[in-house]
Amino acid sequence: MEKKYSVAIYPSQHVIDAVKTMKDYLKSKINWYNSCNSTAHITICEFTIDDSQIDSFKQKLFKTCDTFTPFTVYLDHFSFYENSGAFFIAPNEISKNNLKPAMKKVQETLKSLKLKKSDDPHLSIGRKLTAENLKIASQLFTTIKIEFLCKQIVLRELDPVKKQFFVIDTFTFNGNAKPEFVQGSLF
């Protein structure tokens, strides 16, 4: 059976809680909106495959993440994409330069799939907001300074009824160098 999956970076629980508070506050001002109930995350990619194939991709994600070293992500400003109505918290340049290669490596690991990729790391507050609601969000949220240790990625599966992703696996960054193949000798 085909299922939709998402690979994402979850920040620390402190950041997840802070973003939930922001989402709830925005919801109190503009009512329900897309992603108002989703857990704070930085999307790496999404894909749809038969669920019988997921274990082989979990193995690939495990091997890739095992080589990553944890790093701190600093989120220091709000921004938006007018064309998609997305309002989000953005990382500073140093963090963006750390996130992008990790995201790209994960996407390369899954390159055999038809991926919907994210190339610009950000943590969404809301999606598909009207121009008026983007303006309200921009007025409500003007300054931010939060950080978290990026030490894992999560694999999420879409619940077709709730239309929300839920975590089915976590892959930690262990900082293990990829073993190099060395031609041995029997004698």
Side-chain angles (χ1 to χ4, degrees), residues 45-153:
C45 60
E46 292 179 2
F47 56 92
T48 302
I49 59 168
D50 190 275
D51 61 343
S52 65
Q53 298 176 281
I54 198 63
D55 285 340
S56 68
F57 290 103
K58 284 182 180 184
Q59 285 299 327
K60 290 178 181 185
L61 288 169
F62 170 78
K63 287 178 184 174
T64 298
C65 291
D66 189 51
T67 66
F68 292 162
T69 301
F71 57 91
T72 302
V73 173
Y74 299 94
L75 302 156
D76 67 354
H77 64 284
F78 291 100
S79 191
F80 60 89
Y81 301 129
E82 210 164 342
N83 60 339
S84 66
F87 183 78
F88 57 88
I89 307 169
N92 66 14
E93 279 305 308
I94 293 168
S95 295
K96 192 181 274 197
N97 291 336
N98 287 330
L99 286 163
K100 280 186 170 188
M103 291 168 65
K104 194 172 202 64
K105 185 77 173 162
V106 169
Q107 292 165 355
E108 286 171 11
T109 299
L110 303 173
K111 68 184 173 196
S112 64
L113 300 171
K114 185 177 178 186
L115 298 178
K116 179 180 171 190
K117 301 177 191 176
S118 174
D119 297 320
D120 189 27
H122 63 277
L123 206 153
S124 293
I125 301 293
R127 294 181 303 109
K128 298 181 183 175
L129 298 175
T130 64
E132 182 183 329
N133 287 343
L134 272 176
K135 184 178 179 186
I136 291 168
S138 296
Q139 291 169 342
L140 291 175
F141 307 110
T142 56
T143 59
I144 187 129
K145 188 177 180 185
I146 52 179
E147 65 184 72
F148 68 93
L149 183 64
C150 182
K151 59 183 181 176
Q152 64 191 20
I153 64 166

